Amino acid sequence: MAMRQTPLTCSGHTRPVVDLAFSGITPYGYFLISACKDGKPMLRQGDTGDWIGTFLGHKGAVWGATLNTDATKAATAAADFTAKVWDAVSGDEVLTLAHKHIVKTVSFTQDSNCLLTGGNDKLLRIYDLSNPEAAPQEISGHTSAIKKALWCNNDKQILSAADDKTIRLWDRSSMEEVKTLKFDTSVSSMEYVTDGEILVITYGKSIAFYNALSLDLIKTVEAPATINSASLHPEKDFFVAGGEDFKLYKFDYGTKEELESYKGHFGPVHCVRFSPDGELYASGSEDGTLRLWQTAVGKTYGLWKCVLPEDLGTENSEQLYTSTPEIKA
């Protein structure tokens, strides 16, 4: 029997949601942070989407947001020329890191001691969070605004994507460029999968998978629409992508076959990420909402409860118009 995908809608933002990130799995579950042009990044319980709090302090659109592995710290990148570090438990602002232009991306090292930033001034910066007064290390080379920057290879290397239509791999200790990938169009997103060292990138209608250490191409998949973001399932069975046609697409990673597509958003999808346990994926959109989608439709998980027709009592029988199982969210 066909199950119907019922996404959970997370409201609260008043402008487009442009970035999101999950924490690792902690003793309290896992968490989700969203960046929005309303300047008010939000923290949520990852499996239910329940709002926990809003980080208040930015004076412009927030373009990037991330959590450290254990969800004790958050970092945000904004149009007010700052990156901020927050205590993700209390919600308090810990640090404001002044930049010379709009900041687009933030990334913690695995030990949470350093923060990598990038933005419209084309420079990568590494801040030592234990000594925030010290000048950051700076890496130059990109010729246009940096969209995304990530630590990789156990924080020994950095990957960056910019509007100069390149992705560059940098060595942290020498601060030198190791390799560059050039594209015909600007790269719209980049995800780094630690397990297996896979880099997932999107550009135009393409979703491409690279070895993150060598930057050798593994495979490319063409989607039906312009794609803004893609995410690979932790077990690498499949990946999801979203873009300009408001839909979420799910593909088989092995065969590259399109498995499903879902419409729920009322605007282009800007970002999509799998949860750390792979049970759901979250999407953020121009429509100002985040939506949580089940990986295995019909499974009882989080707020989803699978109710089969035979489980419904006779008092509910008149409400049952279909033999298709419903997912109550």
Side-chain angles (χ1 to χ4, degrees):
M1 285 189 295
M3 293 284 197
R4 194 176 72 203
Q5 173 77 266
T6 307
L8 304 177
T9 302
C10 308
S11 51
H13 283 301
T14 56
R15 298 286 313 279
V17 177
V18 290
D19 192 29
L20 56 85
F22 284 101
S23 72
I25 297 171
T26 79
Y28 306 98
Y30 60 88
F31 299 89
L32 171 63
I33 192 170
S34 53
C36 179
K37 289 187 185 177
D38 63 11
K40 296 172 182 175
M42 290 186 179
L43 184 71
R44 297 176 188 272
Q45 194 72 39
D47 59 341
T48 62
D50 290 340
W51 177 84
I52 295 170
T54 302
F55 299 101
L56 298 174
H58 278 299
K59 295 179 173 63
V62 174
W63 287 102
T66 191
L67 293 165
N68 66 346
T69 309
D70 63 4
T72 55
K73 287 181 184 174
T76 49
D80 60 8
F81 291 21
T82 71
K84 289 182 188 283
V85 178
W86 312 80
D87 181 317
V89 181
S90 67
D92 295 333
E93 185 180 310
V94 178
L95 279 176
T96 294
L97 304 168
H99 288 62
K100 295 184 174 67
H101 211 310
I102 291 166
V103 191
K104 286 285 181 78
T105 178
V106 277
S107 178
F108 286 109
T109 46
Q110 288 169 15
D111 61 12
S112 309
N113 290 339
C114 292
L115 187 75
L116 172 67
T117 70
N120 287 18
D121 67 359
K122 311 168 197 172
L123 292 175
L124 293 165
R125 288 183 175 84
I126 301 168
Y127 290 88
D128 179 350
L129 298 180
S130 61
N131 185 16
E133 299 304 311
Q137 293 178 281
E138 294 185 351
I139 301 175
S140 60
H142 278 296
T143 56
S144 290
I146 295 167
K147 281 187 171 174
K148 192 81 175 173
L150 304 165
W151 295 101
C152 67
N153 191 13
N154 289 319
D155 301 334
K156 294 196 289 284
Q157 291 180 312
I158 292 165
L159 284 159
S160 57
D163 283 333
D164 58 14
K165 303 177 185 176
T166 69
I167 284 181
R168 302 180 195 225
L169 179 66
W170 311 84
D171 183 78
R172 182 186 182 176
S173 56
S174 71
M175 316 275 279
E176 296 291 320
E177 195 175 304
V178 179
K179 193 168 178 182
T180 301
L181 292 175
K182 293 187 169 72
F183 299 88
D184 294 333
T185 182
S186 198
V187 170
S188 50
S189 77
M190 183 168 70
E191 178 188 55
Y192 168 63
V193 182
T194 315
D195 181 28
E197 298 285 353
I198 296 171
L199 180 64
V200 186
I201 65 166
T202 60
Y203 57 95
K205 293 183 177 182
S206 302
I207 304 145
F209 300 86
Y210 285 81
N211 178 299
L213 302 181
S214 65
L215 292 191
D216 291 334
L217 180 66
I218 300 166
K219 65 181 74 178
T220 308
V221 180
E222 293 300 311
T226 300
I227 296 297
N228 295 325
S229 184
S231 184
L232 181 61
H233 189 268
E235 288 177 6
K236 304 175 193 57
D237 302 330
F238 31 74
F239 61 93
V240 290
E244 292 299 308
D245 66 351
F246 308 3
K247 288 183 181 177
L248 270 298
Y249 291 92
K250 186 172 163 188
F251 294 87
D252 185 295
Y253 181 64
T255 66
K256 309 203 284 195
E257 175 191 3
E258 182 188 318
L259 300 173
E260 296 156 333
S261 67
Y262 300 112
K263 188 141 180 269
H265 284 294
F266 296 99
V269 177
H270 292 308
C271 43
V272 59
R273 284 292 177 268
F274 271 107
S275 61
D277 63 1
E279 291 285 353
L280 61 83
Y281 47 100
S283 57
S285 165
E286 185 74 17
D287 68 14
T289 68
L290 290 110
R291 287 173 202 255
L292 304 183
W293 310 78
Q294 268 191 301
T295 302
V297 179
K299 188 172 180 177
T300 295
Y301 178 85
L303 296 180
W304 288 284
K305 185 170 189 298
C306 181
V307 182
L308 295 169
E310 57 267 27
D311 297 338
L312 293 169
T314 50
E315 71 277 7
N316 290 332
S317 58
E318 69 277 6
Q319 297 168 16
L320 192 63
Y321 298 111
T322 169
S323 61
T324 310
E326 290 282 322
I327 297 112
K328 306 287 186 196

